Amino acid sequence: MRRTHRLRWQAAAIMTVAAFTVAACSSGSGSGSSSSAGSGSSSSSSALTASAPGITPTQILIGSHQPLTGPAAPGYSEIAPASAAYFAYVNAHGGVYGRKIVYKYLDDGYNPTKTASVVRQLVLQDSAYAIFDGLGTPTHLAAVSFLNAQKVPDVFVASGCECWNDPTKYSQTFGWQLDYIREGKILGQYVKQHFAGKKVGFFYQNDEFGQDGVKGILDELPASMVVSKQTYDPTNTNIGPAVAALRASGAQVVMAFSIPAFIALLKLNSLKLGFNPTLVASNVGTDAITLSGLLEAFAKQGGAKVNGNQLIEGIITDGYLPALGSTDNSWITLFKKIHDQYDAKAPFDGNVLYGEAVGYTFAQAMLKAGRNPTREDLVTAIQNGIPQGPAIAPYSYSSSDHMGITGAYMGVIQNGQLVQQGPVLTTDASASGAISTYSGSEQQAPASGIPSP
Amino acid sequence: MQTLPRRLGVAVVTAVIVWFLSVRLTTFRDFQIAEVAIEFTAVAGLTVLTGLSGQISLGNGAFMAIGGYTTALLMLHLNWPYLAALVASAVVTAVAGGIVGVAAARLRGPYLAGATLMLGVALPALAAAYQGFLGGDQGLNVVFTAPAFLGATFPLTRWQAWVSTVVALVTLVLLANLCYSRVGRNWRAVRDDEVAAALDGVNVALTRVLAFVVSAICAGLAGSLLAIVTSLVAPGAFTLTLSIALLTAAVIGGLGSLPGALWGSLLIVIVPTYVTDVATSHGLSSSVGSNIPIAAYGAVLILVMLAFPQGIQGGLHWILTLFTGPDQRTRIPRDAPAPHVTPPADEAPASHHEKEGTQ
Amino acid sequence: MVEFLQFTLSGVSFGMIYAAVALSLVLIWRGTRLLNYGQGGMAMITTYIAIEVVYRTGSYWAGFAVALAAGVVLGALCQVTIIRPTMNKPPLNAVIVTIGLLVLLEGLAGIFFGGQFRSFPTAFSVTGLRIGGTPLGVSRFDIFVVAAVLVTTLVLATAFRYTSAGLRMRAAAFNATIARLSGIRVARVLTVGWALAGLLGALAGVLVSPSTFLYPNSMDTIFVFGFTAAVIGGLDSPVGAVTGGLLLGLALSYAGGYLPSGASLVPVVAFAILVLVLMVRPDGLFSATQVRRV
């Protein structure tokens, strides 16, 4: 045979052998650092079985996709470790019916293609029982069809988009946090009531987060009050032109649906322009600790009279979890204790509170799902309603509603902390739905820190 | 792969191997097969553009976006079947590639790089800015199901792997045909010395534009496959990072070589997942553990490039020649001299990137 | 009218940052005919080093100086360790190596400094200046930014033109073989070139980070626009780099201010400008080359 042919045959032979080797090694379930099945049902509860993929007698494996790296990571990357901290606490105190929750969250860098890949890895290779707290709207949209087609519970998506509330098309998917339209309505009503006759400008992110928020605001706020609508793009930090336009319009109140970095930039650019409107912003961007951190360097300037904390004083916002500064609140005490023990490196800020609170909600749902739950059991458990838990308003879960928290309270940032002003307000996501005061009382955290089944 | 029967033979053998793997391995591996096939389709086009025709492009992600969005829009609004949408995507990206190629015809080296880089950034931004038709930041959902004759329990990922592999192999055969044809020779001629090629009767501009068109079609096909495999087209999926990943795959695999495109694609699909698994299994904290794959990937790029200046294909070839002796047959010269850099009129070209003889 | 002035001034401020990045790229291009895609990553790392120094010593200027010094060291180090081996190889290899450098630095920053936003201090007030009662839309710090970049550019330009070290660098870039024959240590000159580029990048990083907050990917967009500015101005021309930077900064500021959804269209506007310039002058605005026609 000529050398050329030999070369080619050698190559073909190598490839075929490699293919067979790979097939032999990987057939069956993949590797993954996941369930260590068969470690023996040594626990005394002899009734525990491997009732569903991801559930063994000793553990429950759940997965998530999170932006742990990349431009979207700052802030959001704290949420999953906080949930993991809460689960560690639960595991240390008996687990869920004796099973430990194993939380495997993978980085998707806020890239939908990567999300598709890691979610398939979690479901097809690691056989996760459910996907929990998938973060981001464009990213989760890359996973939602797959998860529903595979009938994998897709619980408590970390995004306020209305898209998760579609029980017919996405029967497995549930939201959790207050959605942006409801939030917009609550903020809009507040401005209508407290700033009647003033000029209002909008500053919002140019995607469904900002647009849904504005839509909600305009359900309540008369359009005649709005003098300027400025958008920003998270990849472009030069918002000077937008702020200049707001100032030129004479806006006395600026309503913002922005992430914390852009609230901080808004404040800095306003300072540069000598512009000092009242800021009414979505809770997504107003965590006081995050904002103080972003503006920290400006508190230390030589010779300048700006102080980081001063910059965020008086920001009006909403909240659907207890305020971080309310040290007499049983939930804050509980979550701070858990944070100090299991997640101490992160600051105890809004993202950590979010992560622990949604983790608590998952524990509630799993306990309701039963001793040996199937995947359907989890979905049914949520649809039958979840007690309020740390949220300050009830959940809307039912067989026809998969959205989540239904209301918030208004508050003001004072001395670096959010202080509640007024009652909890609840509403629905429709344009005409009224906003009503919630008269129910807030729940107390269980003494053990673990929800009752 | 010098003649058509041989190429078809290779394609058929590969198809059989992939079919075998897709059936024996888990459905997640099927998904990875689809990912590799998609990357290969795009990288092969880019390696031809940059390696054979000497035009660097940092914006092929934009062509993938065009292909993906075309498919998504046709399937969503006009209910076209996938095959028709695939062909339409190829046509649309061919036109786009032609436009870009014409605009870029006078650009060389870093100026072409800069222009294509900005294309790669600007096009997805366009999609994000216009919410109504293009779905904005959230993108467009794509519904794709396996055909009925396969049965209701046939895993969708396996069907996606088959479709992607078929498209990739068809691309491979067609590209190989082109590379060994007169078109390919024209590309190499224009790359090596434009003036000489022009004197020889080659239409330089047309040749260069054609290369762009071909590479754009490949990227468009890949984008279309991406749309059905991930069920979504959104601006976040077509960032500059994607364009850069395509280029790194092409160069690391071996610029200008089609097998190189395969090695590069395997590298960028498998390595990050593998390193992530290793990092998470050691229980490292999230900020350290999630950044290790990134740092490792960067280190791999640097080390492979320094160790194998001809890319992986060059390295493999060198290893194989250790066993079989120097290769006498003619083949596509892979190590192209520099994409032509017009020296400043008052300066001679800088020393170490001067054109030298091949090898 | 006031708005226009505000847009202009903020455009100049950002434009100078792009100019600094563009200058660093031009420096490397002129010396080594290489595009350094890792420039943004290098600038980000030196800024992280600076912020650690600032928070430990409490002095902004200490951090500033350390950042510049770190830029010099990092630039030289990169050239010696990973760029030098790629010379005399296909040029795209060096491109991939610089891309690998960028990714590696971003990963390392995430590992050692964490992925959270860091607030970067300024040396001067960020409160806006006014004329009469009208705010100008610039602060003392913005003026410092413009001044710092201009001064550095002038110093470098003078050094290139009037010192023997600058002459050596220009000779090595012009024709390395002949320069070597004249006794110039070309390898060392190239290292110095990279070191200076590192300094410029570090300067850009420190000046822009108060406005972007510091995190591993914070310099990515700045680098893209800096690169675009360099291409617009012509990669062989430092004057072109500064002009390109200013032009881009102004244009993007106006686009962001006057266009509806302007903020999201900024990359599209940048692309449009780039295409327009390259259609007319394929080698950038200030290129001295003529396209060879046969």
Side-chain angles (χ1 to χ4, degrees):
Chain A
M1 243 195 253
R2 286 177 24 222
R3 259 190 217 123
T4 55
H5 287 206
R6 198 186 314 157
L7 207 63
R8 199 169 296 134
W9 283 112
Q10 280 168 341
I14 295 173
M15 267 173 43
T16 322
V17 168
F20 274 95
T21 321
V22 168
C25 292
S26 321
S27 60
S29 68
S31 54
S33 47
S34 62
S35 41
S36 52
S39 53
S41 47
S42 52
S43 79
S44 53
S45 339
S46 52
L48 290 180
T49 62
S51 49
I55 298 209
T56 72
T58 49
Q59 68 177 44
I60 303 167
L61 175 68
I62 54 175
S64 184
H65 63 86
Q66 301 282 322
L68 300 174
T69 61
Y76 293 143
S77 56
E78 290 177 345
I79 294 179
S83 303
Y86 181 74
F87 293 146
Y89 177 82
V90 169
N91 292 342
H93 291 81
V96 174
Y97 297 121
R99 292 188 179 95
K100 294 199 189 306
I101 302 179
V102 175
Y103 183 28
K104 183 170 180 184
Y105 52 95
L106 296 179
D107 177 31
D108 67 0
Y110 214 72
N111 178 344
T113 309
K114 193 110 201 290
T115 310
S117 178
V118 303
V119 166
R120 279 166 180 73
Q121 182 181 346
L122 289 165
V123 170
L124 297 175
Q125 180 175 283
D126 303 330
S127 304
Y129 172 66
I131 297 296
F132 163 72
D133 201 36
L135 200 147
T137 309
T139 43
H140 199 71
L141 281 171
V144 69
S145 318
F146 170 75
L147 290 173
N148 280 275
Q150 299 272 325
K151 293 262 176 285
V152 175
D154 175 24
V155 300
F156 310 142
V157 179
S159 141
C161 175
E162 281 232 293
C163 17
W164 319 125
N165 184 12
D166 195 340
T168 357
K169 193 160 130 195
Y170 298 137
S171 57
Q172 309 290 309
T173 303
F174 294 87
W176 181 77
Q177 67 188 70
L178 179 68
D179 64 273
Y180 306 132
I181 295 190
R182 276 187 170 95
E183 190 182 9
K185 285 172 66 174
I186 293 176
L187 292 175
Q189 185 199 54
Y190 184 87
V191 169
K192 180 174 75 176
Q193 288 170 346
H194 291 79
F195 295 101
K198 297 262 171 99
K199 295 187 186 169
V200 177
F202 292 160
F203 179 71
Y204 60 102
Q205 187 156 309
N206 196 15
D207 65 3
E208 59 67 52
F209 158 49
Q211 286 157 2
D212 275 359
V214 165
K215 192 164 133 201
I217 293 175
L218 290 173
D219 283 344
E220 288 291 319
L221 190 72
S224 53
M225 283 174 75
V226 180
V227 294
S228 177
K229 290 186 190 172
Q230 300 297 320
T231 61
Y232 73 87
D233 190 292
T235 57
N236 178 16
T237 49
N238 182 11
I239 61 169
V243 181
L246 280 171
R247 185 185 175 282
S249 71
Q252 296 153 300
V253 175
V254 170
M255 299 191 71
F257 263 80
S258 319
I259 52 179
F262 282 83
I263 298 280
L265 287 175
L266 177 64
K267 276 290 178 183
L268 289 174
N269 278 279
S270 302
L271 205 58
K272 201 189 284 195
L273 285 169
F275 178 43
N276 200 9
T278 311
L279 185 57
V280 178
S282 153
N283 65 73
V284 169
T286 54
D287 175 47
I289 296 180
T290 310
L291 282 178
S292 296
L294 286 169
L295 295 167
E296 173 187 26
F298 301 97
K300 296 183 181 175
Q301 281 177 27
K305 290 175 285 292
V306 288
N307 176 294
N309 242 349
Q310 218 182 327
L311 283 171
I312 66 172
E313 188 79 3
I315 293 182
I316 298 171
T317 183
D318 64 286
Y320 54 84
L321 294 172
L324 277 167
S326 42
T327 44
D328 53 346
N329 182 292
S330 57
W331 295 102
I332 300 295
T333 321
L334 169 69
F335 289 144
K336 180 135 202 340
K337 182 180 89 182
I338 296 176
H339 158 266
D340 292 345
Q341 190 176 356
Y342 294 100
D343 192 22
K345 271 194 286 193
F348 185 61
D349 64 10
N351 290 312
V352 169
L353 180 63
Y354 181 102
E356 291 202 59
V358 70
Y360 182 91
T361 315
F362 181 73
Q364 284 179 292
M366 280 309 300
L367 285 164
K368 283 198 64 188
R371 272 187 94 74
N372 289 307
T374 60
R375 280 172 166 162
E376 295 79 31
D377 287 337
L378 180 59
V379 172
T380 317
I382 302 176
Q383 283 186 170
N384 287 340
I386 305 264
Q388 210 171 300
I392 49 80
Y395 296 114
S396 62
Y397 299 130
S398 73
S399 53
S400 56
D401 190 324
H402 284 196
M403 199 62 240
I405 298 177
T406 52
Y409 55 82
M410 293 299 298
V412 180
I413 297 185
Q414 290 171 347
N415 289 323
Q417 305 206 348
L418 181 62
V419 173
Q420 181 170 345
Q421 318 256 303
V424 171
L425 305 165
T426 58
T427 181
D428 64 7
S430 74
S432 53
I435 303 178
S436 38
T437 310
Y438 178 59
S439 50
S441 54
E442 206 187 295
Q443 293 198 330
Q444 294 298 312
S448 64
I450 301 185
S452 40
Chain B
M1 286 204 295
Q2 275 170 295
T3 65
L4 184 59
R6 290 222 175 91
R7 280 170 228 145
L8 288 177
V10 167
V12 168
V13 168
T14 316
V16 169
I17 292 178
V18 169
W19 169 83
F20 179 74
L21 287 176
S22 74
V23 172
R24 286 301 308 277
L25 297 177
T26 64
T27 39
F28 177 60
R29 298 289 175 215
D30 288 344
F31 180 75
Q32 289 191 309
I33 290 174
E35 280 189 294
V36 171
I38 292 173
E39 296 290 334
F40 173 78
T41 311
V43 172
L46 182 60
T47 205
V48 162
L49 175 71
T50 305
L52 289 193
S53 144
Q55 302 179 80
I56 182 173
S57 167
L58 286 170
N60 270 33
F63 294 126
M64 283 183 75
I66 294 177
Y69 270 89
T70 308
T71 299
L73 288 168
L74 288 173
M75 287 175 76
L76 195 62
H77 294 303
L78 296 180
N79 282 319
W80 280 25
Y82 179 61
L83 189 58
L86 182 69
V87 171
S89 302
V91 170
V92 171
T93 35
V95 171
I99 296 175
V100 171
V102 166
R106 293 207 293 164
L107 302 179
R108 301 287 181 274
Y111 303 97
L112 182 58
T116 50
L117 180 104
M118 221 39 230
L119 174 69
V121 173
L123 206 69
L126 208 59
Y130 292 112
Q131 319 289 334
F133 183 56
L134 294 174
D137 206 53
Q138 285 178 283
L140 302 168
N141 256 355
V142 177
V143 177
F144 181 72
T145 50
F149 68 81
L150 288 170
T153 55
F154 193 82
L156 182 61
T157 45
R158 189 173 301 156
W159 175 242
Q160 289 166 337
W162 289 3
V163 171
S164 312
T165 309
V166 165
V167 173
L169 288 176
V170 168
T171 309
L172 173 68
V173 171
L174 292 177
L175 276 181
N177 283 346
L178 267 180
C179 295
Y180 278 96
S181 73
R182 173 199 261 162
V183 173
R185 286 195 291 278
N186 283 350
W187 283 336
R188 296 195 295 283
V190 165
R191 172 197 71 196
D192 290 347
D193 193 328
E194 265 186 48
V195 176
L199 285 172
D200 204 43
V202 173
N203 186 334
V204 170
L206 189 65
T207 306
R208 289 170 59 94
V209 171
L210 188 61
F212 251 101
V213 169
V214 167
S215 126
I217 292 178
C218 293
L221 291 173
S224 171
L225 288 172
L226 193 67
I228 55 153
V229 169
T230 58
S231 317
L232 178 77
V233 287
F238 299 108
T239 56
L240 183 62
T241 316
L242 175 65
S243 298
I244 291 187
L246 294 178
L247 184 68
T248 56
V251 177
I252 289 235
L255 194 63
S257 98
L258 292 173
L262 179 62
W263 311 137
S265 309
L266 281 170
L267 196 89
I268 61 174
V269 171
I270 306 285
V271 167
T273 325
Y274 174 72
V275 182
T276 309
D277 277 346
V278 170
T280 50
S281 67
H282 283 86
L284 293 161
S285 85
S286 71
S287 81
V288 173
S290 50
N291 278 294
I292 285 183
I294 296 185
Y297 184 66
V300 163
L301 287 182
I302 296 177
L303 291 171
V304 170
M305 224 53 254
L306 293 182
F308 296 112
Q310 306 299 333
I312 297 179
Q313 176 67 5
L316 284 178
H317 200 261
W318 176 78
I319 293 175
L320 280 173
T321 55
L322 287 180
F323 294 112
T324 63
D327 204 0
Q328 309 294 344
R329 66 188 169 107
T330 57
R331 53 179 168 74
I332 305 175
R334 258 185 306 284
D335 46 338
H340 186 81
V341 172
T342 315
D346 60 341
E347 296 181 12
S351 61
H352 40 265
H353 292 309
E354 264 179 299
K355 289 187 280 196
E356 297 169 294
T358 53
Q359 277 176 312
Chain C
M1 187 55 213
V2 173
E3 254 187 17
F4 179 76
L5 185 64
Q6 288 165 349
F7 294 166
T8 309
L9 292 172
S10 97
V12 166
S13 177
F14 264 92
M16 285 318 246
I17 308 282
Y18 301 146
V21 174
L23 265 175
S24 67
L25 292 170
V26 165
L27 252 181
I28 292 184
W29 175 261
R30 280 183 73 123
T32 58
R33 275 287 178 272
L34 186 64
L35 281 172
N36 180 13
Y37 288 92
Q39 193 67 51
M42 290 162 61
M44 176 266 300
I45 286 276
T46 53
T47 314
Y48 264 109
I49 295 175
I51 208 176
E52 292 293 327
V53 168
V54 170
Y55 281 127
R56 274 164 225 270
T57 64
S59 156
Y60 175 86
W61 295 109
F64 189 81
V66 167
L68 296 184
V72 168
V73 167
L74 189 60
L77 194 67
C78 289
Q79 201 275 339
V80 167
T81 51
I82 56 178
I83 302 297
R84 207 175 272 178
T86 64
M87 298 188 190
N88 297 321
K89 302 282 194 321
L92 275 180
N93 287 19
V95 167
I96 302 300
V97 167
T98 58
I99 290 175
L101 177 68
L102 172 69
V103 174
L104 176 65
L105 288 174
E106 285 180 349
L108 289 177
I111 292 174
F112 291 113
F113 299 108
Q116 304 308 319
F117 279 119
R118 300 287 292 272
S119 178
F120 196 87
T122 58
F124 301 95
S125 164
V126 290
T127 326
L129 299 171
R130 295 165 176 263
I131 290 191
T134 325
L136 287 172
V138 284
S139 62
R140 285 201 192 93
F141 183 69
D142 289 329
I143 298 183
F144 172 67
V145 166
V146 174
V149 176
L150 276 178
V151 163
T152 316
T153 314
L154 282 170
V155 165
L156 279 176
T158 327
F160 264 109
R161 194 171 263 275
Y162 295 115
T163 66
S164 54
L167 182 60
R168 280 199 287 275
M169 287 194 68
R170 284 190 288 137
F174 182 85
N175 190 321
T177 317
I178 297 183
R180 233 177 245 122
L181 288 173
S182 322
I184 295 178
R185 305 270 284 274
V186 171
R188 183 178 294 180
V189 164
L190 293 178
T191 310
V192 170
W194 269 71
L196 286 176
L199 181 136
L200 277 169
L203 180 69
V206 166
L207 293 176
V208 85
S209 291
S211 310
T212 61
F213 306 115
L214 182 61
Y215 57 99
N217 293 83
S218 60
M219 291 297 288
D220 284 356
T221 319
I222 306 290
F223 168 77
V224 166
F225 287 135
F227 180 32
T228 308
V231 171
I232 288 178
L235 275 167
D236 281 299
S237 160
V239 172
V242 176
T243 316
L246 275 174
L247 187 67
L248 201 61
L250 285 169
L252 296 183
S253 187
Y254 296 139
Y258 290 123
L259 291 176
S261 344
S264 307
L265 287 174
V266 157
V268 181
V269 170
F271 179 62
I273 295 174
L274 182 64
V275 167
L276 254 120
V277 168
L278 290 179
M279 288 289 97
V280 176
R281 310 263 305 175
D283 289 318
L285 283 174
F286 285 83
S287 59
T289 65
Q290 301 299 320
V291 176
R292 278 163 49 191
R293 287 204 190 286
V294 176

